[in-house]
Amino acid sequence: MSDLDYIVRDLQRRLANMIRRGKVHSVDFSQTPPRVRVEYAAGAVTGWLPFVGSRQSVDSKSTWEPLAVGEGVMIFSESGELSMGVVMPSVPDATNVPPSISPNEHVTKYSDGTMVKYDRAAGKLTVDVVSDVELIAANKVSVQCGSADVNASAGVSVNAGGDVSVSAGGDVLADGSSIKLNGGAGVVTGACICPFTGSPHSDKSSTVFAGK
């Protein structure tokens, strides 16, 4: 083989390796940063390569989204050397379809079924979680909305180290099999009959009402 033939073949190899499609063959999370191997042809697997897991910044923000085995990816290699490649997610195919094809939706769907979806056309954010949701704030949490509905099949618990304040422009309604305030005795209502006079009690609250 002449020097020219070698140069041409090496250039062809480098050109072919500058951009490669493939699927994640394996992932090693013990490395810092984690790395993946990619199968880019039948039986052809790269060495351990770094991958882009969203954004990493020293003075701004950092996010983490790991790749998974079988995920379609692209390899971009400097000078056409696969050993210097960087893996970019993610290329959908018939086995890894996107969670939505709507032009108006931004969707994140996890393997357990949890989904976060924002519909730009409807202006609606939907968070569908298959298990628990935990919100932690060192200071104040403020929620402002037009109306709010809370439906809990098991129950609702509120624990506060200080006062609990509820203000309403209209009525405050509470219905249940029993309503207990500090575990006290029953509340005398306007419908309560005095055992001595046989008449309804007249000394009752004019602002707080409770069903008998």
Side-chain angles (χ1 to χ4, degrees):
M1 179 186 299
S2 67
D3 291 342
L4 180 59
D5 289 337
Y6 175 81
I7 292 173
V8 170
R9 291 190 180 186
D10 184 59
L11 287 175
Q12 290 175 332
R13 177 186 64 84
R14 289 173 179 269
L15 183 62
N17 286 340
M18 290 185 72
I19 301 177
R20 286 279 191 177
R21 288 175 178 262
K23 288 190 174 183
V24 176
H25 173 272
S26 49
V27 185
D28 186 354
F29 294 107
S30 66
Q31 299 189 54
T32 304
R35 294 175 179 260
V36 296
R37 299 178 69 198
V38 178
E39 184 174 10
Y40 58 92
V45 181
T46 68
W48 293 107
L49 301 176
F51 63 90
V52 176
S54 298
R55 180 179 175 183
Q56 307 300 319
S57 175
V58 175
D59 57 358
S60 180
K61 67 176 182 178
S62 297
T63 57
W64 167 242
E65 189 172 358
L67 294 180
V69 173
E71 185 171 350
V73 295
M74 301 283 287
I75 311 171
F76 293 87
S77 304
E78 297 180 30
S79 302
E81 291 291 345
L82 281 177
S83 61
M84 301 175 63
V86 175
V87 180
M88 303 287 292
S90 171
V91 182
D93 55 26
T95 58
N96 294 290
V97 297
S100 174
I101 57 173
S102 170
N104 297 314
E105 292 181 347
H106 182 273
V107 181
T108 299
K109 188 174 183 180
Y110 300 89
S111 58
D112 64 355
T114 294
M115 182 179 65
V116 179
K117 178 175 68 175
Y118 180 68
D119 188 330
R120 291 188 295 268
K124 181 180 180 181
L125 175 66
T126 301
V127 180
D128 188 352
V129 183
V130 300
S131 187
D132 299 337
V133 176
E134 185 175 12
L135 174 63
I136 300 175
N139 294 309
K140 182 179 179 181
V141 175
S142 178
V143 179
Q144 300 181 22
C145 59
S147 62
D149 295 317
V150 177
N151 298 297
S153 59
V156 177
S157 177
V158 177
N159 298 297
D163 297 338
V164 175
S165 177
V166 178
S167 299
D171 296 337
V172 176
L173 307 176
D175 294 311
S177 58
S178 63
I179 299 174
K180 300 178 181 179
L181 302 177
N182 287 335
V187 176
V188 174
T189 72
C192 181
I193 303 300
C194 177
F196 300 104
T197 65
S199 301
H201 282 282
S202 58
D203 186 11
K204 62 181 185 296
S205 172
S206 61
T207 57
V208 179
F209 299 87
K212 182 178 179 179

